[in-house]
């Protein structure tokens, strides 16, 4: 798959916040505590493949109409009963329904190993603390995203990345089979996830650690149920950085948890 769909102008957004946030668990289960510690000490972040995303309505799109395709005999065997004509060289022209073609595009994009790093625009979201910090047994990390120095290599010359805001929809996003439209599908989710207020960076799938990502950490919010030893570990891990610390409390104000500054 060409890198054209990820051209930097497609990632621009006129309402970018200064800070973006990552909710992290400190649970020992599934190495979550280790991953959070590595983020704080090494600036390690992970770009997940599409099939690793945990939301079933993620990558929420479908192609907008049926179309004809020239398939090899091997490919055609996957779609019995859909052949329209048979060519003398053994290939056939097939009318593939929207569901089949949508799956084909998903498979192509998965094989391309494009990865997603998800962050959010809010640091005191009660549902995010519940879902992503084991009911408040974790932290929310604020990044000055421009200082993360994440580079996009899908254009030439490479350019600094700009996060893409997720679009939340009641019905799947309708796109054509033009690669330049795929970037919109990468940032489409069902509206029931709108409370996440998600933004996304795109990169090759995998784990990356840089000093720039670590230095971009500007804020840490402690969950309401964080253990004292975990709070001490977090502070020790970033003691060389200039960070604002906050504590959330159960009090909800206009849908948000109340933040108490800890630096003063």
């Amino acid at each position: 798959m060409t890198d054209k769909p990820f051209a930097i102008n497609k990632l621009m957004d006129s309402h970018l916040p200064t800070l973006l946030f990552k909710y992290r668990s400190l649970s020992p289960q599934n190495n979550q505590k280790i991953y959070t510690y590595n983020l704080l000490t090494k600036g390690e972040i992970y770009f997940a493949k599409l099939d690793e995303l945990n939301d079933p309505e993620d990558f929420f799109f479908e192609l907008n109409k049926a179309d004809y395709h020239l398939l090899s005999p091997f490919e055609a065997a996957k779609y019995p009963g859909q052949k329209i004509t048979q060519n003398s060289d053994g290939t056939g022209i097939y009318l593939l329904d929207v569901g089949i073609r949508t799956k084909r595009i998903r498979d192509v994009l998965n094989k391309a190993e494009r990865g997603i790093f998800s962050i959010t625009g809010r640091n005191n979201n009660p549902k995010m603390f519940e879902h992503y910090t084991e009911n408040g047994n974790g932290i929310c990390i604020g990044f000055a995203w421009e200082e993360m120095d994440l580079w996009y290599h899908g254009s030439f010359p490479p350019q600094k990345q700009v996060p893409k805001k997720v679009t939340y929809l009641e019905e799947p996003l309708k796109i054509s089979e033009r690669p330049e439209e795929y970037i919109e599908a990468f940032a489409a989710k069902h509206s029931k996830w709108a409370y996440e207020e998600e933004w996304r960076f795109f990169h090759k799938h995998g784990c990356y650690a840089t000093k720039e990502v670590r230095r971009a950490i500007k804020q840490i919010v402690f969950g309401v149920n964080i253990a004292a030893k975990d709070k001490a570990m977090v502070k020790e891990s970033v003691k060389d950085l200039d960070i604002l610390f906050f504590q959330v409390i159960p009090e909800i104000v206009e849908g948000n948890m109340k933040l108490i500054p800890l630096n003063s």
Side-chain angles (χ1 to χ4, degrees), residues 4 27 72 75 78 90 98 117 131 146 159 162 164 233 238 259:
K4 278 188 175 181
S27 168
S72 69
E75 291 177 304
K78 301 177 184 177
V98 168
F117 177 64
H131 295 166
E146 289 185 277
Q159 301 177 57
V162 177
K164 172 72 175 174
M233 179 274 289
V238 294
L259 291 169

Short mmCIF file of all heavy atoms in Angstrom, two decimals, residues 4 27 72 75 78 90 98 117 131 146 159 162 164 233 238 259:
data_model
loop_
_atom_site.label_atom_id
_atom_site.label_comp_id
_atom_site.label_asym_id
_atom_site.label_seq_id
_atom_site.Cartn_x
_atom_site.Cartn_y
_atom_site.Cartn_z
N LYS A 4 0.76 7.44 0.40
CA LYS A 4 0.05 8.66 0.06
C LYS A 4 -1.14 8.98 0.95
O LYS A 4 -1.40 10.13 1.24
CB LYS A 4 -0.39 8.62 -1.40
CG LYS A 4 0.68 9.02 -2.38
CD LYS A 4 0.10 9.15 -3.77
CE LYS A 4 1.14 9.65 -4.75
NZ LYS A 4 0.57 9.80 -6.11
N SER A 27 -1.43 -1.38 37.13
CA SER A 27 -1.69 -2.75 37.53
C SER A 27 -0.55 -3.66 37.07
O SER A 27 -0.04 -3.50 35.96
CB SER A 27 -3.01 -3.24 36.93
OG SER A 27 -3.14 -4.64 37.07
N SER A 72 -7.50 -13.00 -9.86
CA SER A 72 -6.86 -14.24 -10.28
C SER A 72 -7.73 -15.42 -9.87
O SER A 72 -8.60 -15.29 -9.00
CB SER A 72 -5.49 -14.36 -9.62
OG SER A 72 -5.65 -14.60 -8.23
N GLU A 75 -7.63 -15.84 -6.14
CA GLU A 75 -8.44 -14.87 -5.41
C GLU A 75 -9.93 -15.17 -5.60
O GLU A 75 -10.73 -15.07 -4.67
CB GLU A 75 -8.14 -13.46 -5.90
CG GLU A 75 -6.77 -12.95 -5.53
CD GLU A 75 -6.52 -11.57 -6.11
OE1 GLU A 75 -6.65 -11.41 -7.34
OE2 GLU A 75 -6.22 -10.65 -5.33
N LYS A 78 -12.07 -17.43 -3.37
CA LYS A 78 -12.51 -16.93 -2.06
C LYS A 78 -13.93 -16.37 -2.12
O LYS A 78 -14.56 -16.16 -1.08
CB LYS A 78 -11.57 -15.82 -1.57
CG LYS A 78 -10.12 -16.25 -1.42
CD LYS A 78 -9.27 -15.05 -1.00
CE LYS A 78 -7.80 -15.41 -0.94
NZ LYS A 78 -6.96 -14.23 -0.60
N GLY A 90 -8.20 -17.31 -17.91
CA GLY A 90 -8.53 -17.92 -16.63
C GLY A 90 -8.91 -16.95 -15.54
O GLY A 90 -9.34 -17.36 -14.46
N VAL A 98 -20.44 -4.93 -0.99
CA VAL A 98 -19.78 -3.94 -0.16
C VAL A 98 -19.07 -4.59 1.02
O VAL A 98 -17.94 -4.23 1.36
CB VAL A 98 -20.81 -2.90 0.33
CG1 VAL A 98 -20.21 -2.04 1.43
CG2 VAL A 98 -21.26 -2.02 -0.83
N PHE A 117 -1.14 5.42 17.71
CA PHE A 117 -0.93 5.80 19.10
C PHE A 117 -2.08 6.72 19.49
O PHE A 117 -2.24 7.80 18.94
CB PHE A 117 0.41 6.51 19.28
CG PHE A 117 0.66 7.00 20.69
CD1 PHE A 117 0.79 6.11 21.74
CD2 PHE A 117 0.79 8.36 20.94
CE1 PHE A 117 1.02 6.56 23.04
CE2 PHE A 117 1.02 8.82 22.24
CZ PHE A 117 1.14 7.92 23.28
N HIS A 131 -11.93 3.07 32.87
CA HIS A 131 -11.64 2.04 31.87
C HIS A 131 -10.15 1.78 31.67
O HIS A 131 -9.74 0.65 31.39
CB HIS A 131 -12.27 2.41 30.53
CG HIS A 131 -13.76 2.43 30.55
ND1 HIS A 131 -14.51 3.01 29.55
CD2 HIS A 131 -14.65 1.95 31.45
CE1 HIS A 131 -15.80 2.89 29.84
NE2 HIS A 131 -15.90 2.26 30.98
N GLU A 146 3.67 18.75 20.49
CA GLU A 146 4.61 19.28 19.50
C GLU A 146 6.06 18.99 19.87
O GLU A 146 6.93 18.91 19.00
CB GLU A 146 4.40 20.79 19.34
CG GLU A 146 3.11 21.16 18.63
CD GLU A 146 2.98 22.65 18.40
OE1 GLU A 146 2.56 23.35 19.31
OE2 GLU A 146 3.33 23.09 17.28
N GLN A 159 8.11 14.89 7.60
CA GLN A 159 7.62 16.06 8.31
C GLN A 159 7.17 15.67 9.71
O GLN A 159 6.81 14.53 9.94
CB GLN A 159 6.44 16.68 7.57
CG GLN A 159 6.77 17.11 6.15
CD GLN A 159 5.54 17.64 5.43
OE1 GLN A 159 4.90 18.58 5.89
NE2 GLN A 159 5.19 17.02 4.33
N VAL A 162 1.34 15.62 13.04
CA VAL A 162 0.25 16.38 13.65
C VAL A 162 -0.85 15.38 13.97
O VAL A 162 -1.23 14.58 13.11
CB VAL A 162 -0.27 17.47 12.70
CG1 VAL A 162 -1.45 18.20 13.32
CG2 VAL A 162 0.84 18.45 12.34
N LYS A 164 -4.37 13.49 14.49
CA LYS A 164 -5.65 13.51 13.78
C LYS A 164 -6.78 13.28 14.79
O LYS A 164 -6.76 12.31 15.54
CB LYS A 164 -5.65 12.41 12.72
CG LYS A 164 -6.99 12.18 12.04
CD LYS A 164 -7.35 13.29 11.09
CE LYS A 164 -8.64 12.96 10.35
NZ LYS A 164 -9.10 14.08 9.52
N MET A 233 6.56 6.11 43.30
CA MET A 233 7.35 5.59 42.18
C MET A 233 7.25 6.50 40.97
O MET A 233 8.25 6.79 40.30
CB MET A 233 6.86 4.18 41.82
CG MET A 233 7.59 3.53 40.64
SD MET A 233 6.89 3.96 39.00
CE MET A 233 5.35 3.05 39.05
N VAL A 238 10.16 10.64 37.36
CA VAL A 238 10.21 11.86 36.54
C VAL A 238 10.76 13.05 37.32
O VAL A 238 10.52 14.21 36.97
CB VAL A 238 8.80 12.20 36.00
CG1 VAL A 238 8.33 11.13 35.02
CG2 VAL A 238 7.79 12.35 37.13
N LEU A 259 -9.91 18.49 39.86
CA LEU A 259 -8.45 18.40 39.94
C LEU A 259 -7.92 19.25 41.07
O LEU A 259 -8.28 20.41 41.21
CB LEU A 259 -7.83 18.86 38.63
CG LEU A 259 -8.03 17.98 37.39
CD1 LEU A 259 -7.58 18.74 36.15
CD2 LEU A 259 -7.26 16.69 37.53
#
